[in-house]
Amino acid sequence: MYSHILFDFFGTLVDYDAGRTSQGYPRAHAELGRLGATVSYAEFLQGWDGAFAAFDRDSDADDHEFSMAQVGTAYLAEVLGRVPAAGEVDAFTRAYLAEWSAGVRYPDGVVPLVRSLSRVYRLAVVTNTHQPDLVPGHLAAMGIADLMDVVITSVEVGHRKPHPAIYTATVEALGIEPSAAVFVGDTYLADFVGPEKFGMTAFLIDPARRADVPEARRLASVLDLPARISPDEVA
């Protein structure tokens, strides 16, 4: 019935801490000092979180995506009192992302699941992210990058889920109709409502049963997917 499975990444294939300040960022703070900023560690966390939140509020209006480089440039300009060079922005944001990634965990069973599914279906990842190489890097670390036909990122498309542009980019890259794909993720609007409106069959990871979705489309984890994607079990 289906030829392709499209995965969300964060919260679906990996567990993660969505916070921007909880992982601990001594390297990123040290990089600020190297660039000439005099903010304390607490001021850094508060200011960085505020800069990100401002970009998020602006994106909420139309689901356009912003990059780490954009928010990094804005934040560094504020704390340095000058326009930062591109290399300075890259050094700071990469230090930050390396520390943020400490909160990303690879759950047991996911890699074998993906390998098993790849023997039957074509696979792809469709993810909201501010850094183009972040998710491909994690997929490579998990040893499953080669199993994905494409990795579609919001920052490269220019719009985040649930904007239809990101689903359009995905099916065009894969050369398929939406009806050929199953979409699985953990966020109601981005990973269920958006794909369903686009013509895909969506499954939502919702162990707490917070979302109003058909029971046949609700998963406790991505590990439940194989039992749900036979034609007889899809509602």
Side-chain angles (χ1 to χ4, degrees):
M1 185 175 179
Y2 306 109
S3 58
H4 288 68
I5 299 176
L6 314 182
F7 294 102
D8 169 54
F9 188 70
F10 296 107
T12 299
L13 294 181
V14 298
D15 296 328
Y16 76 115
D17 185 337
R20 290 187 286 258
T21 61
S22 55
Q23 285 86 334
Y25 297 96
R27 284 178 52 197
H29 183 241
E31 187 64 26
L32 285 180
R34 189 186 71 80
L35 295 176
T38 58
V39 294
S40 69
Y41 183 71
E43 289 170 334
F44 154 54
L45 294 183
Q46 182 178 18
W48 177 246
D49 191 54
F52 238 107
F55 273 81
D56 272 330
R57 287 192 297 271
D58 188 48
S59 293
D60 285 343
D62 60 1
D63 290 324
H64 75 270
E65 191 60 279
F66 59 91
S67 68
M68 286 296 298
Q70 288 174 299
V71 68
T73 298
Y75 175 69
L76 288 179
E78 179 180 345
V79 298
L80 297 176
R82 59 177 175 82
V83 177
E88 294 175 321
V89 175
D90 186 65
F92 168 70
T93 56
R94 289 196 178 278
Y96 172 82
L97 285 171
E99 292 175 303
W100 183 87
S101 287
V104 177
R105 298 169 298 280
Y106 306 153
D108 293 340
V110 168
V111 169
L113 169 75
V114 171
R115 293 194 181 281
S116 176
L117 290 172
S118 72
R119 292 193 285 269
V120 181
Y121 302 95
R122 307 303 294 268
L123 308 180
V125 167
V126 186
T127 181
N128 288 352
T129 181
H130 307 293
Q131 181 73 13
D133 59 0
L134 180 63
V135 170
H138 280 293
L139 289 168
M142 296 169 76
I144 56 175
D146 61 325
L147 303 181
M148 303 299 167
D149 281 11
V150 296
V151 177
I152 303 296
T153 69
S154 59
V155 69
E156 292 173 295
V157 172
H159 286 87
R160 60 177 61 169
K161 298 175 293 182
H163 195 283
I166 194 166
Y167 312 120
T168 298
T170 302
V171 296
E172 289 182 350
L174 294 170
I176 61 172
E177 294 297 321
S179 59
V182 165
F183 199 105
V184 57
D186 69 319
T187 304
Y188 179 61
L189 290 177
D191 301 324
F192 191 86
V193 175
E196 285 277 323
K197 285 185 176 179
F198 195 72
M200 300 177 185
T201 298
F203 292 82
L204 184 69
I205 298 170
D206 181 34
R209 306 173 65 84
R210 294 190 178 95
D212 182 16
V213 300
E215 283 305 308
R217 305 287 189 83
R218 193 190 315 272
L219 309 176
S221 81
V222 72
L223 301 179
D224 293 340
L225 184 65
R228 300 292 186 88
I229 55 178
S230 70
D232 292 338
E233 296 186 26
V234 175

